[in-house]
Amino acid sequence: MAETRRRLRSSTVVLGGMGVLAAALSACGSDPDRRCVDRDSYDYINGYKIVADKNCSSGTSSSAKGRKTGKTKVTDADWYYDADVSGGYADNGTFSRDEAVDRGGFGCSGSGSGGG
């Protein structure tokens, strides 16, 4: 009976460890959190003003320049990654998706340029 308990415990530990490893590896491949911001709206205290996602293209950055949204014109909308968001503003992030992925998930730091 003691052997059965030991096997159950060790298999639970192995299964739990595999779950943690799977979560860490899948986090590396996921997209970082992003917000569409107006680059021309930076405020020292608040950061960049968040605008509608339709102002940013889903692909490369800065391709949505000069689009009109209702009464306001967003002159330089771009994706801003891994930012602290508060009150319609985003700050302390990066405009580089690759940099956001590198500083993001567990085990992802080796996927970048390998600086040192």
Side-chain angles (χ1 to χ4, degrees):
M1 181 113 178
E3 289 179 30
T4 306
R5 286 185 186 167
R6 241 183 273 151
R7 275 190 230 143
L8 178 62
R9 287 182 191 150
S10 64
S11 63
T12 303
V13 169
V14 169
L15 289 175
M18 291 176 73
V20 169
L21 180 62
L25 292 175
S26 66
C28 190
S30 64
D31 285 334
D33 182 42
R34 67 183 186 179
R35 298 285 191 266
C36 185
V37 299
D38 181 2
R39 285 181 154 225
D40 295 332
S41 68
Y42 186 76
D43 177 54
Y44 182 74
I45 294 173
N46 297 313
Y48 294 98
K49 183 169 176 51
I50 298 174
V51 296
D53 287 353
K54 66 183 177 180
N55 293 305
C56 293
S57 68
S58 59
T60 59
S61 63
S62 298
S63 61
K65 288 185 178 179
R67 274 197 192 164
K68 291 184 179 180
T69 59
K71 294 180 181 178
T72 61
K73 181 180 178 184
V74 178
T75 57
D76 194 6
D78 203 355
W79 291 115
Y80 194 54
Y81 298 95
D82 285 344
D84 299 329
V85 177
S86 176
Y89 287 86
D91 201 11
N92 299 322
T94 178
F95 286 104
S96 168
R97 183 186 179 282
D98 293 337
E99 186 179 319
V101 170
D102 281 349
R103 67 182 186 175
F106 175 81
C108 296
S109 61
S111 65
S113 61

